[in-house]
Amino acid sequence: MSFVEYGDTIKDGDTAIVFLGHESMFPVKVQHGTVTQTKYGVIRHSTDLIGKKYGSKVTCSKGGWVFILHPTPELWTMNLPHRTQILYSTDISIITMMLELKPGSIVCESGTGSGSLSHALIRTVAPTGHLYTVEFHQQRAEKAREEFREHGVEHLVTVTNQDVCKNGFGVSNIADAVFLDIPSPWEAIGHAKSALKAEGGRICSFSPCIEQVQRTCLAMEEYGFTEINTLEILLRVYNVRTISLQIPDLGKAAEDNSSAGFDSRNTSNQGSPCANLQQGTVQFKSGVPLREMVGHTGYLTFATKS
């Protein structure tokens, strides 16, 4: 099993996603002799998982069933154990595009945190690229190394435990892109410039507060970065529903005009809303926004090394 290469069957030691529904799923490490409890009953790894194909429908001990999915960076972002606040797919998608990442790219990242963005970056630059990720917190760095090893991507990533603001990324003039998610990114701009290739490299800084953005932009300008711009991504989800609306009573004159222009014998009009006049309501599909939406996550500041 690897987060960047699809495996057909579930093996001992794999990380799999137990899918109970779109709003209910969780990761599990597959191991011989282990059982996993769900609201539908027990899943026995030895008999229910190992050797089965990813995507299989597995019946639990109480008669309910779940799907077992192959892990992807998107699913991992939704289910990973949180050690820090993480980036979600909305911001991750624009980061990978605006940093112009592709297979073979070299990327520097700080900090690693829970590894949400790291997995997406690794998948994007695989199979010939590399991610150099720096984490200040020693225990989080060690946990990240363990997860990358378990997920089969350790050959694509180097985890370093150090302060990027003081010691940099440990590489010079090789990175195609740098990503910063630290409290004071302006202190790491000089190290980011040193890590980037001679010219044309891209940098992105994620900050929740506009005061951080202001200081970061000033530092970028001081170090000669160009094309500096800041944006914010807001996600608004729409649900597609069937809506029933009552047909308004427009009076007798309107009914006469309607009958003059509508031939009840014309079968081509049978599917139109006019066919429902007797019922007094008309149904149609509509996109309805959620009453609540995810608001501000952070500001993304991009720039280019000139």
Side-chain angles (χ1 to χ4, degrees), residues 3 73 76 115-124 147-148 151 153:
F3 271 53
W76 186 245
S116 174
L117 176 64
S118 303
H119 282 81
L121 294 177
I122 291 169
R123 198 263 306 274
T124 302
E147 284 182 350
F148 293 142
H151 298 165
V153 297

Side-chain angles (χ1 to χ4, degrees), residues 151-200:
H151 298 165
V153 297
E154 71 275 12
H155 61 291
L156 297 170
V157 57
T158 299
V159 182
T160 305
N161 173 220
Q162 63 187 28
D163 185 352
V164 70
C165 296
K166 295 180 179 178
N167 307 114
F169 294 93
V171 296
S172 300
N173 302 320
I174 64 169
D176 297 289
V178 170
F179 176 78
L180 298 174
D181 182 7
I182 54 178
S184 52
W186 55 89
E187 296 181 1
I189 298 299
H191 295 297
K193 183 177 181 180
S194 299
L196 287 168
K197 59 187 181 182
E199 59 179 300

Side-chain angles (χ1 to χ4, degrees), residues 33-194:
T34 302
V35 298
T36 296
Q37 295 283 350
T38 74
K39 63 181 180 180
Y40 301 126
V42 171
I43 301 173
R44 295 175 175 83
H45 294 200
S46 300
T47 57
D48 296 333
L49 299 184
I50 297 176
K52 300 289 182 66
K53 289 188 175 183
Y54 279 106
S56 296
K57 184 178 179 180
V58 174
T59 302
C60 304
S61 62
K62 293 182 181 179
W65 48 266
V66 299
F67 287 104
I68 308 300
L69 305 181
H70 192 284
T72 64
E74 292 80 8
L75 290 175
W76 186 245
T77 291
M78 297 169 63
N79 296 281
L80 58 79
H82 286 226
R83 299 183 289 273
T84 60
Q85 183 60 261
I86 69 169
L87 291 178
Y88 290 92
S89 298
T90 306
D91 290 316
I92 291 173
S93 59
I94 196 71
I95 290 169
T96 55
M97 185 188 74
M98 294 293 287
L99 289 182
E100 302 173 4
L101 302 182
K102 61 185 182 300
S105 295
I106 305 297
V107 186
C108 292
E109 174 198 27
S110 183
T112 312
S114 301
S116 174
L117 176 64
S118 303
H119 282 81
L121 294 177
I122 291 169
R123 198 263 306 274
T124 302
V125 304
T128 56
H130 201 84
L131 172 66
Y132 294 90
T133 183
V134 177
E135 173 57 50
F136 175 77
H137 194 276
Q138 182 179 355
Q139 292 174 323
R140 287 201 293 262
E142 292 174 353
K143 186 60 179 177
R145 288 193 192 98
E146 179 184 341
E147 284 182 350
F148 293 142
R149 183 171 58 254
E150 291 178 352
H151 298 165
V153 297
E154 71 275 12
H155 61 291
L156 297 170
V157 57
T158 299
V159 182
T160 305
N161 173 220
Q162 63 187 28
D163 185 352
V164 70
C165 296
K166 295 180 179 178
N167 307 114
F169 294 93
V171 296
S172 300
N173 302 320
I174 64 169
D176 297 289
V178 170
F179 176 78
L180 298 174
D181 182 7
I182 54 178
S184 52
W186 55 89
E187 296 181 1
I189 298 299
H191 295 297
K193 183 177 181 180
S194 299

